[in-house]
Amino acid sequence: MKTLGVGIIGLGIGRAHAAAFAANRHCELRVLCDFSAEKLQEAATAFPAARLTDDARSVLDDPAVDIVVVASHDDDHHRQVVAALEGGKHVLAEKPLCLHEAEARDIYAMLAKHPGLRLTSNLSLRTCPRFAVVRDRVRSGSMGQLYSMDGEYLWGRKHKLTNGWRTDMPFYSIIHGAAVHMVDLIMWIRGDRPVEVHAWGNRICTQDSALRANDFAVLTMRFDDGCIARVAANGGCVHPHFHALTVFGTDMTFRHTPGGAEWVMRRNGEEEAVPCTEAYPAREERPLLVDSFVQAIVAPGSPMLVGEADVFDVMSVCYAAEESMRTGRATTIRYFD
């Protein structure tokens, strides 16, 4: 079986992707790209067999590269993803896939022209065992009918908003960069898509910085069965990095907080809290996303943990949320299918 050559653009989060691909028996790191000499030097030590470059185009044009990881700045994603697909390469795009709906439609059309190519995105909360068991209970019906869900992305890394490339972008979205994780998690747990979203935001935490975008956003999503889900992206908070989640069903509640996680249920007419002990954040499980992507390439028909439809669905919600913030009105979500 042919070894898949991998090229990575951006060695921030891309450094973790490099390690995951290097550990996969079907893959070989061929090219690593970043404009930081320091990151390239570190990569040379960690992955000595890979070619190093500061030119993203040389990754996209390299015939030895079968898979491109786009982990560059958000406003470069559209151009690089399209170029990779045009070149016949599979793509793992760091979230967000791209910044604007029109750009996503370009990518969607390009995939339609190349049906043999696969695309995924780093929606990594799906790899967490704690959230997987919540999904299993919801899908089994043991929680009863869901009527409310709350997710909050507590970034706790204000310096990343106020110092660096996000301040230089004409358009940065805390929804696309942070809320996207919790939106995807809620959709994955439920197994369906919201029909409408209403969103608000502010930039109070970073008002004295060069950042021109909101650092906080809250989304309210409505599902066809009446369930309401709320997601907050809290970029400027004074708080450890955390993904808070509460799921309310008619028969059971799940709470995942910095103090721990538990199931709350009624037994003999009284509420009882039972600890949830599955692992979180379980970063060691995150290569599962890469492994399922590679398996879908080498064995067509194999399921991906994050498939193309999943990527376009979650971005559709995010684009509608940004539209809602601009108009001040609830927005019907336009999906790609």
Side-chain angles (χ1 to χ4, degrees):
M1 182 177 294
K2 174 188 173 183
T3 298
L4 298 169
V6 180
I8 296 183
I9 303 173
L11 295 175
I13 186 62
R15 172 63 176 78
H17 296 316
F21 279 104
N24 187 289
R25 64 188 178 91
H26 297 295
C27 297
E28 180 180 282
L29 289 180
R30 299 271 167 81
V31 194
L32 302 176
C33 173
D34 202 282
F35 52 70
S36 164
E38 181 180 351
K39 289 180 180 177
L40 287 176
Q41 184 176 6
E42 191 277 333
T45 301
F47 310 106
R51 177 170 68 86
L52 305 179
T53 181
D54 61 1
D55 179 10
R57 191 74 237 182
S58 74
V59 179
L60 297 165
D61 291 341
D62 192 330
V65 170
D66 304 293
I67 296 171
V68 173
V69 176
V70 175
S72 50
H73 298 169
D74 294 0
D75 51 356
D76 290 325
H77 287 192
H78 167 249
R79 174 172 49 84
Q80 292 171 354
V81 170
V82 168
L85 294 172
E86 281 182 327
K89 304 179 191 305
H90 308 280
V91 177
L92 187 160
E94 186 54 47
K95 52 79 192 169
L97 173 65
C98 52
L99 289 174
H100 304 288
E101 182 179 349
E103 295 176 341
R105 294 198 177 277
D106 285 346
I107 296 170
Y108 190 81
M110 187 61 62
L111 277 171
K113 293 179 182 177
H114 300 276
L117 296 180
R118 305 309 307 264
L119 176 140
T120 192
S121 190
N122 188 32
L123 299 168
S124 57
L125 294 183
R126 294 185 179 210
T127 67
C128 178
R130 182 168 296 179
F131 297 142
V133 77
V134 177
R135 179 178 185 262
D136 290 344
R137 289 205 179 187
V138 167
R139 299 292 187 91
S140 73
S142 63
M143 293 190 70
Q145 182 177 356
L146 300 191
Y147 62 90
S148 176
M149 302 177 75
D150 292 298
E152 185 158 16
Y153 187 96
L154 295 156
W155 200 357
R157 297 167 181 171
K158 180 179 175 181
H159 64 281
K160 289 195 172 186
L161 291 172
T162 58
N163 300 305
W165 55 269
R166 293 172 181 85
T167 63
D168 298 328
M169 289 174 57
F171 171 70
Y172 172 74
S173 170
I174 194 71
I175 292 175
H176 297 355
V180 62
H181 278 298
M182 303 310 297
V183 172
D184 178 70
L185 180 63
I186 285 171
M187 292 168 66
W188 179 66
I189 287 172
R190 285 184 51 90
D192 65 353
R193 311 183 298 192
V195 295
E196 185 180 60
V197 62
H198 203 167
W200 300 264
N202 64 50
R203 56 180 301 270
I204 294 172
C205 285
T206 58
Q207 60 187 314
D208 296 326
S209 76
L211 185 72
R212 290 168 284 179
N214 288 331
D215 57 62
F216 176 83
V218 61
L219 293 62
T220 300
M221 301 180 291
R222 179 176 63 84
F223 289 82
D224 257 339
D225 64 357
C227 182
I228 303 296
R230 296 172 292 271
V231 166
N234 199 333
C237 61
V238 181
H239 195 284
H241 189 71
F242 195 77
H243 311 94
L245 179 69
T246 305
V247 181
F248 294 96
T250 53
D251 297 329
M252 192 183 302
T253 297
F254 171 77
R255 294 192 298 227
H256 169 67
T257 72
E262 62 184 9
W263 304 95
V264 182
M265 58 197 79
R266 288 191 185 92
R267 288 184 179 171
N268 300 319
E270 296 184 359
E271 283 76 25
E272 178 182 352
V274 178
C276 177
T277 58
E278 282 77 12
Y280 168 89
R283 291 184 178 88
E284 68 278 3
E285 301 291 342
R286 292 184 182 175
L288 291 174
L289 192 150
V290 164
D291 292 343
S292 76
F293 174 53
V294 172
Q295 187 62 24
I297 295 170
V298 300
S302 300
M304 283 198 293
L305 184 58
V306 180
E308 290 87 357
D310 301 320
V311 178
F312 288 106
D313 282 351
V314 72
M315 291 311 305
S316 295
V317 178
C318 292
Y319 299 138
E322 281 288 348
E323 180 179 331
S324 174
M325 283 208 298
R326 290 193 302 271
T327 64
R329 299 189 298 270
T331 299
T332 299
I333 301 164
R334 298 179 295 272
Y335 291 103
F336 283 65
D337 53 10

